[in-house]
Amino acid sequence: MKDFRYFLQPYRKSSDRHVCPQCGRKGEFTFYIDKETGQPLHPSVGKCNRENECGYHYRPSEYFRDFPNEKPKGDWKPLQQTQKPKEEKAVQYLPTSFLIEDKCRGENNLFHFIEREFGEDEANRVFDTYHVGTSKHWRNDNGLAVSFPQIDEQGNLRQIKVMAYNPTTGKRLKKQDYAELWVDAKKEKKYVPDNRPQDKIWFAGKSLLRNHEANLRQTFFGCHLIKDACRIGIVESEKTCLICSILMPDITWIATGGSNGCKWTESDVFQPLIGKRVVLYPDAGMFSKWENKAEILRNGGVNVTVSKVCEGMPRNTDIADVLLQERKPKEKPTTIGDICKWLDELGIEKGRVTFNL
């Protein structure tokens, strides 16, 4: 058996497990270690231990395919199979019956926040457009959690992501926030305090199918809207996507669901973007990382640029925060220069815009 340069880091102590770049869980991510240096190859290269719930596994060979300039010279060898590779399983989908009319929207915590900000009609419109639903998986602040379906360009339901939100602030709940978890056991069905050390995020697909071996592959939240769109805005958060679609409806907004999220730099995921005018809107502090991702998309034939709107702002500020702030009275008004900068990013000709001075 050959001796390979990269291997998954053995577990010896808790610090050997890290934050997963996809699901964000601490203590679940295993790095690939470079035997020559004893250091991780890259913070994104590794495997999440939550195979059923997350399934993230970014191998050294895939990393060097995406970033060929990072490949060591001469002696690097890809991990070889010790046996014949298994045949690739066909992608499985969830029944579209899970997208039936939501009769519990009045109990949806995120709906309450968006309704308060924009009114009932706009909240209903955007929830209908993206098929956002309500889940009883978590209960908090007298309301229920949100379900974000991932529907591909063919109308197939690929995954359902469930998250709990604070209805007042609109922020998603972290591990330190209180929520009650729905327990559906044979003997009893009830809510119990969720004291698990993890954020309130759950990928429900495999559980809904009652098949934890199902081959589910994620896609963009809002992917089903790409086909009929000309200009696409890509953000990280599903909530941000909804808010932007209300405040800037001339653009079709989709979300990755995380920095690496739905593995959106893989060609089969970003394929629907080819032929569209695409702008990425990274959160503050993430411009460089998203510019690297944009380069992968460009190499795959996508016409994409990266916005600097959030650069220089407090960390984790996103485009929705900026747009919401613009709605509030402020001392410094928006200038024509600010507007022209935004028009350039969105690919809109300035001659088509009238300024009232």
Side-chain angles (χ1 to χ4, degrees), residues 25-67:
R25 300 289 175 81
K26 294 182 179 180
E28 297 288 354
F29 190 63
T30 304
F31 287 146
Y32 274 100
I33 301 298
D34 184 341
K35 189 173 68 173
E36 299 293 324
T37 65
Q39 299 299 315
L41 172 57
H42 187 271
S44 67
V45 182
K47 181 180 181 180
C48 182
N49 296 327
R50 302 173 63 248
E51 294 186 14
N52 291 333
E53 295 84 359
C54 176
Y56 181 89
H57 191 182
Y58 193 29
R59 297 171 175 82
S61 58
E62 296 170 328
Y63 175 73
F64 292 131
R65 178 199 64 200
D66 294 338
F67 302 97

Side-chain angles (χ1 to χ4, degrees), residues 64-78:
F64 292 131
R65 178 199 64 200
D66 294 338
F67 302 97
N69 292 335
E70 298 296 323
K71 185 175 180 179
K73 305 298 181 184
D75 62 344
W76 182 80
K77 300 173 183 177

Side-chain angles (χ1 to χ4, degrees), residues 52-330:
N52 291 333
E53 295 84 359
C54 176
Y56 181 89
H57 191 182
Y58 193 29
R59 297 171 175 82
S61 58
E62 296 170 328
Y63 175 73
F64 292 131
R65 178 199 64 200
D66 294 338
F67 302 97
N69 292 335
E70 298 296 323
K71 185 175 180 179
K73 305 298 181 184
D75 62 344
W76 182 80
K77 300 173 183 177
L79 184 63
Q80 296 181 2
Q81 298 283 344
T82 57
Q83 57 185 5
K84 290 183 179 180
K86 296 180 180 179
E87 289 186 10
E88 180 118 9
K89 291 166 53 177
V91 177
Q92 294 172 258
Y93 306 109
L94 280 68
T96 54
S97 57
F98 288 125
L99 300 176
I100 60 175
E101 181 183 357
D102 182 7
K103 297 182 179 180
C104 298
R105 186 173 288 176
E107 301 176 72
N108 189 305
N109 279 336
L110 183 60
F111 182 81
H112 287 319
F113 172 76
I114 292 182
E115 180 185 31
R116 188 175 65 253
E117 288 286 333
F118 305 106
E120 182 180 4
D121 289 345
E122 279 293 83
N124 277 317
R125 180 188 67 78
V126 75
F127 268 54
D128 289 342
T129 299
Y130 287 87
H131 300 282
V132 181
T134 304
S135 171
K136 66 179 181 181
H137 190 69
W138 282 292
R139 181 176 69 181
N140 63 283
D141 299 283
N142 298 315
L144 299 176
V146 187
S147 62
F148 296 111
Q150 297 177 5
I151 308 168
D152 66 21
E153 71 277 14
Q154 304 298 329
N156 299 308
L157 179 57
R158 288 177 170 253
Q159 183 59 277
I160 295 179
K161 183 179 179 182
V162 178
M163 303 172 71
Y165 283 84
N166 182 306
T168 302
T169 65
K171 301 292 185 182
R172 67 178 178 86
L173 299 194
K174 303 295 184 66
K175 61 183 178 181
Q176 68 272 16
D177 296 317
Y178 180 81
E180 295 177 326
L181 178 69
W182 175 252
V183 176
D184 192 351
K186 291 183 179 179
K187 294 184 178 180
E188 54 184 351
K189 303 177 188 298
K190 63 178 182 179
Y191 278 104
V192 298
D194 188 358
N195 298 318
R196 297 175 297 174
Q198 58 195 48
D199 293 347
K200 309 303 187 286
I201 303 174
W202 175 49
F203 289 92
K206 293 182 179 182
S207 295
L208 292 172
L209 287 176
R210 300 184 185 277
N211 178 11
H212 288 284
E213 301 302 319
N215 184 30
L216 301 180
R217 294 187 185 175
Q218 296 187 59
T219 190
F220 294 105
F221 172 67
C223 183
H224 62 289
L225 303 174
I226 293 177
K227 182 169 59 175
D228 297 325
C230 295
R231 298 198 304 276
I232 307 291
I234 301 183
V235 294
E236 181 173 328
S237 157
E238 292 89 352
K239 184 194 79 174
T240 299
C241 178
L242 298 179
I243 292 174
C244 288
S245 69
I246 293 174
L247 294 177
M248 300 183 72
D250 291 340
I251 300 172
T252 298
W253 296 88
I254 62 176
T256 64
S259 181
N260 293 308
C262 58
K263 299 182 180 180
W264 54 285
T265 53
E266 293 189 359
S267 60
D268 60 327
V269 179
F270 69 70
Q271 199 72 20
L273 298 174
I274 295 176
K276 310 295 182 180
R277 169 80 168 89
V278 180
V279 181
L280 307 184
Y281 290 88
D283 294 358
M286 297 294 288
F287 176 82
S288 178
K289 186 171 183 178
W290 279 46
E291 179 59 44
N292 290 336
K293 293 178 180 296
E295 189 60 31
I296 298 173
L297 267 61
R298 293 186 193 109
N299 291 337
V302 180
N303 175 18
V304 59
T305 57
V306 187
S307 171
K308 292 185 176 181
V309 165
C310 295
E311 281 302 282
M313 296 185 177
R315 191 166 184 82
N316 295 325
T317 299
D318 64 23
I319 181 64
D321 297 323
V322 175
L323 293 174
L324 289 172
Q325 188 63 35
E326 289 290 325
R327 299 172 73 230
K328 299 177 181 178
K330 55 184 181 177

